[in-house]
Amino acid sequence: VLKKNNYFVTFFFLAVCTLVAFLFAHVIPGNSPNIALVYILGLILIARHTDGYRYGIFAALFCVISINYFFTYPYFKLNFTLSGYPVTFIGMLTIAIITSATTTRLKKQALLISEREKVLVEADKEKMKANLLRAISHDLRTPLTSIYGSSSTLISKYDALPKEQQLKLLGEIQEDSEWLIRMVENLLSVTRIDGA
């Protein structure tokens, strides 16, 4: 799995925001609140699609400087003495930190939930295996007990048993053996299907 490049994501959204802001400035000159909103949207997207706080903080600094440099008079000059500039800076920095913190927390929670679900699925699988093994061992034990009992009776009382009783015991042994063979073949075929 390719790890996303946080720097690329940050620069991509900042470039798109700057282009959209220039379009706004060209279409509606002097409308800096819309430009600030474009950059705020960019901050939110950067915080959502990157890992950690530093990308959001860097983006907030970039946004405030870009608004000051490109979209406020005097244009293409930094002027930190503008009224409201500290408020814009603190506002964007606060938005970046809060959004980054929220999205980081949500990503961690999503990861924990995903890991917990994997553990639960694995536990369910183990429980199903244990139940299946218990059922299979019970189903195998019954005919094996019958085969063992019939063959023991035949061996220990061979001379004392009448011929028809001997044939009856041998028939039961054969039936139980055939049932066991079918069951083992079914289990093997199920195992082959699961393994495929």
Side-chain angles (χ1 to χ4, degrees), residues 19-154:
L19 287 173
V20 171
F22 271 112
L23 285 174
F24 264 120
H26 183 68
V27 173
I28 310 168
N31 197 351
S32 58
N34 286 341
I35 292 168
L37 287 175
V38 168
Y39 277 113
I40 288 171
L41 177 62
L43 285 176
I44 292 169
L45 291 171
I46 288 166
R48 168 68 182 92
H49 293 287
T50 57
D51 303 316
Y53 298 93
R54 71 180 133 195
Y55 307 101
I57 292 170
F58 168 78
L61 292 171
F62 177 87
C63 292
V64 171
I65 292 170
S66 293
I67 290 171
N68 184 294
Y69 187 77
F70 295 120
F71 305 108
T72 56
Y73 187 80
Y75 299 108
F76 300 103
K77 288 186 178 156
L78 289 176
N79 184 359
F80 296 109
T81 61
L82 293 171
S83 65
Y85 182 78
V87 174
T88 304
F89 175 75
I90 291 169
M92 286 200 153
L93 193 60
T94 304
I95 289 169
I97 291 171
I98 290 171
T99 309
S100 295
T102 304
T103 55
T104 300
R105 195 174 310 119
L106 288 173
K107 287 174 191 174
K108 284 180 182 175
Q109 286 175 351
L111 185 65
L112 287 172
I113 289 170
S114 172
E115 288 173 358
R116 193 174 302 141
E117 285 176 356
K118 284 179 186 172
V119 168
L120 289 173
V121 166
E122 206 56 44
D124 281 347
K125 282 183 183 177
E126 290 302 319
K127 188 177 177 182
M128 284 174 60
K129 280 182 186 176
N131 289 339
L132 182 64
L133 284 172
R134 209 173 293 120
I136 289 171
S137 65
H138 178 268
D139 287 350
L140 290 174
R141 196 175 296 127
T142 303
L144 283 173
T145 303
S146 176
I147 290 170
Y148 178 76
S150 297
S151 60
S152 294
T153 303
L154 266 174

